[in-house]
Amino acid sequence: GPRGIRVHTLGPTFIRTPLTERPFAEPERVAWITSKITLGRVGEVEDFMGAVTFLASDASALVTGTSLVVDGGWTAG
């Protein structure tokens, strides 16, 4: 902090990427996952762009040592 270094973490939900396509090939698994996500869909890489942009910008100049959950409501229940 005294040196102007801010540390953040992002807490994602299930994200569809080329590396995660195999689990998403199973319809039953996708149905279970989406049933647990309040917004009803699996995340896409683009869903993180706003969060990353915010945390990397001056808009979050007073934010540090926190975790931003980007999970579509998974942890909200």
Side-chain angles (χ1 to χ4, degrees):
R3 295 188 176 144
I5 299 170
R6 298 178 293 129
V7 178
H8 311 288
T9 62
L10 290 174
T13 188
F14 290 84
I15 303 298
R16 190 179 300 275
T17 71
L19 293 176
T20 63
E21 279 305 314
R22 187 172 177 186
F24 291 125
E26 301 173 31
E28 299 84 19
R29 178 177 264 172
V30 173
W32 180 83
I33 291 169
T34 56
S35 76
K36 304 292 183 189
I37 298 173
T38 304
L39 294 180
R41 67 178 181 85
V42 172
E44 303 289 338
V45 173
E46 292 79 10
D47 292 318
F48 284 94
M49 290 178 174
V52 171
T53 300
F54 167 70
L55 292 175
S57 75
D58 288 339
S60 67
L62 196 59
V63 178
T64 191
T66 191
S67 179
L68 181 55
V69 180
V70 183
D71 70 355
W74 179 282
T75 55

